[in-house]
Amino acid sequence: MEIERKFLIKEMPSNLEDYPHRTLEQGYLCTGPVVRVRKDGERYELTYKSKGFMAREEYNLPLTEAAYFHLAQKIDGRMITKERYCIPYLDKYTIELDIFKGYHAPLILAEVEFPTIEDAVSFLPPDWFGEDVTACPEYHNSVLSQK
C-alpha cells in the first residue's frame, strides 16, 4: 500500500544541493490502471498502481536494462524526467522534492509517504510547501505524461 500526499511548492528550501538527489525517467504503458516503467540510476522497474489518490495499492517489479528500454519505446504519452531530492523532515519522514525537466518544466512537486492513513491526515507540512494537490488528478504523473 502506498500512502502519500502531494504538494505544490511556494518557496524552494534553502541549501537544496546539500541533499541527496538523482534523476528519474518514467513513462506510462497504461494510465487506467497505472502501469509505469522507471529508470532510477542503474535500477529499472515496472510498477502497477491501483486507482486512488492518497492511498492505493502499488507493486514494483524489477526489470533488466534491456526490458526497460524495450518497454520505454511503447509508452503512451511523454516520458517524464525529473530530478528528485530527498529531504529528511521531523526525523520520521522524507520529502521527495521533484523538479521536472523538459516538457514539464518548471513544475516542482513535493511528495511525502506515510506508514498509515492517520499519519498522512495529521501531517503538518513545512512552511515552504504550497497547496495540497493530493486529490488533484492533474498533478499525478500518469496524467502529466498525457499533456
PDB file of all heavy atoms in Angstrom, residues 3 5 54 93 114-123:
ATOM      1  N   ILE A   3       0.835   5.194   0.642  1.00  0.00           N
ATOM      2  CA  ILE A   3       0.069   6.271   1.266  1.00  0.00           C
ATOM      3  C   ILE A   3       0.927   7.517   1.155  1.00  0.00           C
ATOM      4  O   ILE A   3       2.022   7.579   1.740  1.00  0.00           O
ATOM      5  CB  ILE A   3      -0.245   5.960   2.748  1.00  0.00           C
ATOM      6  CG1 ILE A   3      -0.996   4.640   2.873  1.00  0.00           C
ATOM      7  CG2 ILE A   3      -1.038   7.110   3.374  1.00  0.00           C
ATOM      8  CD1 ILE A   3      -1.077   4.100   4.287  1.00  0.00           C
ATOM      9  N   ARG A   5       0.994  12.056   0.267  1.00  0.00           N
ATOM     10  CA  ARG A   5       0.369  13.335  -0.047  1.00  0.00           C
ATOM     11  C   ARG A   5       1.315  14.090  -0.959  1.00  0.00           C
ATOM     12  O   ARG A   5       2.529  13.912  -0.908  1.00  0.00           O
ATOM     13  CB  ARG A   5       0.081  14.125   1.230  1.00  0.00           C
ATOM     14  CG  ARG A   5      -1.080  13.489   2.007  1.00  0.00           C
ATOM     15  CD  ARG A   5      -1.392  14.198   3.290  1.00  0.00           C
ATOM     16  NE  ARG A   5      -1.786  15.597   3.088  1.00  0.00           N
ATOM     17  CZ  ARG A   5      -1.882  16.470   4.088  1.00  0.00           C
ATOM     18  NH1 ARG A   5      -1.629  16.113   5.337  1.00  0.00           N
ATOM     19  NH2 ARG A   5      -2.235  17.715   3.851  1.00  0.00           N
ATOM     20  N   MET A  54      -4.765   9.424  -2.157  1.00  0.00           N
ATOM     21  CA  MET A  54      -3.821   9.397  -1.043  1.00  0.00           C
ATOM     22  C   MET A  54      -3.346   7.983  -0.724  1.00  0.00           C
ATOM     23  O   MET A  54      -2.186   7.787  -0.356  1.00  0.00           O
ATOM     24  CB  MET A  54      -4.445  10.031   0.209  1.00  0.00           C
ATOM     25  CG  MET A  54      -3.461  10.169   1.343  1.00  0.00           C
ATOM     26  SD  MET A  54      -4.094  11.124   2.741  1.00  0.00           S
ATOM     27  CE  MET A  54      -5.410  10.079   3.327  1.00  0.00           C
ATOM     28  N   TYR A  93      10.052  11.438   8.408  1.00  0.00           N
ATOM     29  CA  TYR A  93       9.563  11.491   7.037  1.00  0.00           C
ATOM     30  C   TYR A  93      10.685  11.891   6.091  1.00  0.00           C
ATOM     31  O   TYR A  93      11.668  12.509   6.512  1.00  0.00           O
ATOM     32  CB  TYR A  93       8.422  12.507   6.889  1.00  0.00           C
ATOM     33  CG  TYR A  93       7.239  12.221   7.763  1.00  0.00           C
ATOM     34  CD1 TYR A  93       6.841  13.107   8.749  1.00  0.00           C
ATOM     35  CD2 TYR A  93       6.495  11.052   7.601  1.00  0.00           C
ATOM     36  CE1 TYR A  93       5.747  12.845   9.558  1.00  0.00           C
ATOM     37  CE2 TYR A  93       5.403  10.778   8.411  1.00  0.00           C
ATOM     38  CZ  TYR A  93       5.039  11.684   9.377  1.00  0.00           C
ATOM     39  OH  TYR A  93       3.958  11.413  10.179  1.00  0.00           O
ATOM     40  N   PHE A 114       3.733   7.940   3.910  1.00  0.00           N
ATOM     41  CA  PHE A 114       3.383   7.732   5.311  1.00  0.00           C
ATOM     42  C   PHE A 114       3.144   6.255   5.597  1.00  0.00           C
ATOM     43  O   PHE A 114       2.683   5.522   4.723  1.00  0.00           O
ATOM     44  CB  PHE A 114       2.112   8.520   5.653  1.00  0.00           C
ATOM     45  CG  PHE A 114       2.247   9.989   5.383  1.00  0.00           C
ATOM     46  CD1 PHE A 114       1.863  10.526   4.159  1.00  0.00           C
ATOM     47  CD2 PHE A 114       2.786  10.829   6.336  1.00  0.00           C
ATOM     48  CE1 PHE A 114       1.996  11.879   3.900  1.00  0.00           C
ATOM     49  CE2 PHE A 114       2.934  12.190   6.087  1.00  0.00           C
ATOM     50  CZ  PHE A 114       2.537  12.708   4.864  1.00  0.00           C
ATOM     51  N   PRO A 115       3.375   5.834   6.838  1.00  0.00           N
ATOM     52  CA  PRO A 115       3.107   4.440   7.201  1.00  0.00           C
ATOM     53  C   PRO A 115       1.613   4.146   7.377  1.00  0.00           C
ATOM     54  O   PRO A 115       1.183   3.012   7.198  1.00  0.00           O
ATOM     55  CB  PRO A 115       3.870   4.245   8.507  1.00  0.00           C
ATOM     56  CG  PRO A 115       4.034   5.620   9.080  1.00  0.00           C
ATOM     57  CD  PRO A 115       4.067   6.560   7.904  1.00  0.00           C
ATOM     58  N   THR A 116       0.832   5.183   7.746  1.00  0.00           N
ATOM     59  CA  THR A 116      -0.602   4.973   7.970  1.00  0.00           C
ATOM     60  C   THR A 116      -1.400   6.145   7.399  1.00  0.00           C
ATOM     61  O   THR A 116      -0.866   7.261   7.232  1.00  0.00           O
ATOM     62  CB  THR A 116      -0.942   4.867   9.475  1.00  0.00           C
ATOM     63  OG1 THR A 116      -0.716   6.153  10.083  1.00  0.00           O
ATOM     64  CG2 THR A 116      -0.102   3.802  10.175  1.00  0.00           C
ATOM     65  N   ILE A 117      -2.669   5.907   7.171  1.00  0.00           N
ATOM     66  CA  ILE A 117      -3.554   6.981   6.714  1.00  0.00           C
ATOM     67  C   ILE A 117      -3.685   8.046   7.798  1.00  0.00           C
ATOM     68  O   ILE A 117      -3.713   9.240   7.509  1.00  0.00           O
ATOM     69  CB  ILE A 117      -4.929   6.412   6.304  1.00  0.00           C
ATOM     70  CG1 ILE A 117      -4.758   5.583   5.024  1.00  0.00           C
ATOM     71  CG2 ILE A 117      -5.959   7.520   6.117  1.00  0.00           C
ATOM     72  CD1 ILE A 117      -5.989   4.834   4.564  1.00  0.00           C
ATOM     73  N   GLU A 118      -3.709   7.626   9.041  1.00  0.00           N
ATOM     74  CA  GLU A 118      -3.810   8.584  10.150  1.00  0.00           C
ATOM     75  C   GLU A 118      -2.622   9.550  10.154  1.00  0.00           C
ATOM     76  O   GLU A 118      -2.779  10.749  10.382  1.00  0.00           O
ATOM     77  CB  GLU A 118      -3.897   7.852  11.500  1.00  0.00           C
ATOM     78  CG  GLU A 118      -5.167   7.048  11.687  1.00  0.00           C
ATOM     79  CD  GLU A 118      -5.184   5.709  10.930  1.00  0.00           C
ATOM     80  OE1 GLU A 118      -4.105   5.192  10.536  1.00  0.00           O
ATOM     81  OE2 GLU A 118      -6.292   5.187  10.710  1.00  0.00           O
ATOM     82  N   ASP A 119      -1.417   9.009   9.925  1.00  0.00           N
ATOM     83  CA  ASP A 119      -0.228   9.869   9.851  1.00  0.00           C
ATOM     84  C   ASP A 119      -0.351  10.856   8.699  1.00  0.00           C
ATOM     85  O   ASP A 119       0.015  12.031   8.829  1.00  0.00           O
ATOM     86  CB  ASP A 119       1.039   9.036   9.676  1.00  0.00           C
ATOM     87  CG  ASP A 119       1.464   8.307  10.935  1.00  0.00           C
ATOM     88  OD1 ASP A 119       1.065   8.725  12.040  1.00  0.00           O
ATOM     89  OD2 ASP A 119       2.198   7.310  10.810  1.00  0.00           O
ATOM     90  N   ALA A 120      -0.849  10.394   7.567  1.00  0.00           N
ATOM     91  CA  ALA A 120      -0.994  11.261   6.395  1.00  0.00           C
ATOM     92  C   ALA A 120      -1.985  12.389   6.670  1.00  0.00           C
ATOM     93  O   ALA A 120      -1.731  13.554   6.338  1.00  0.00           O
ATOM     94  CB  ALA A 120      -1.436  10.449   5.186  1.00  0.00           C
ATOM     95  N   VAL A 121      -3.092  12.072   7.292  1.00  0.00           N
ATOM     96  CA  VAL A 121      -4.130  13.065   7.565  1.00  0.00           C
ATOM     97  C   VAL A 121      -3.650  14.099   8.581  1.00  0.00           C
ATOM     98  O   VAL A 121      -3.953  15.291   8.462  1.00  0.00           O
ATOM     99  CB  VAL A 121      -5.428  12.369   8.042  1.00  0.00           C
ATOM    100  CG1 VAL A 121      -6.447  13.373   8.567  1.00  0.00           C
ATOM    101  CG2 VAL A 121      -6.021  11.539   6.916  1.00  0.00           C
ATOM    102  N   SER A 122      -2.881  13.685   9.562  1.00  0.00           N
ATOM    103  CA  SER A 122      -2.438  14.604  10.618  1.00  0.00           C
ATOM    104  C   SER A 122      -1.137  15.338  10.281  1.00  0.00           C
ATOM    105  O   SER A 122      -0.697  16.189  11.053  1.00  0.00           O
ATOM    106  CB  SER A 122      -2.272  13.846  11.939  1.00  0.00           C
ATOM    107  OG  SER A 122      -1.224  12.902  11.841  1.00  0.00           O
ATOM    108  N   PHE A 123      -0.541  15.061   9.142  1.00  0.00           N
ATOM    109  CA  PHE A 123       0.739  15.660   8.748  1.00  0.00           C
ATOM    110  C   PHE A 123       0.627  17.175   8.605  1.00  0.00           C
ATOM    111  O   PHE A 123      -0.289  17.684   7.952  1.00  0.00           O
ATOM    112  CB  PHE A 123       1.193  15.047   7.417  1.00  0.00           C
ATOM    113  CG  PHE A 123       2.452  15.640   6.862  1.00  0.00           C
ATOM    114  CD1 PHE A 123       3.688  15.373   7.429  1.00  0.00           C
ATOM    115  CD2 PHE A 123       2.411  16.459   5.733  1.00  0.00           C
ATOM    116  CE1 PHE A 123       4.845  15.899   6.897  1.00  0.00           C
ATOM    117  CE2 PHE A 123       3.567  16.991   5.194  1.00  0.00           C
ATOM    118  CZ  PHE A 123       4.791  16.714   5.778  1.00  0.00           C
TER     119      PHE A 123
END
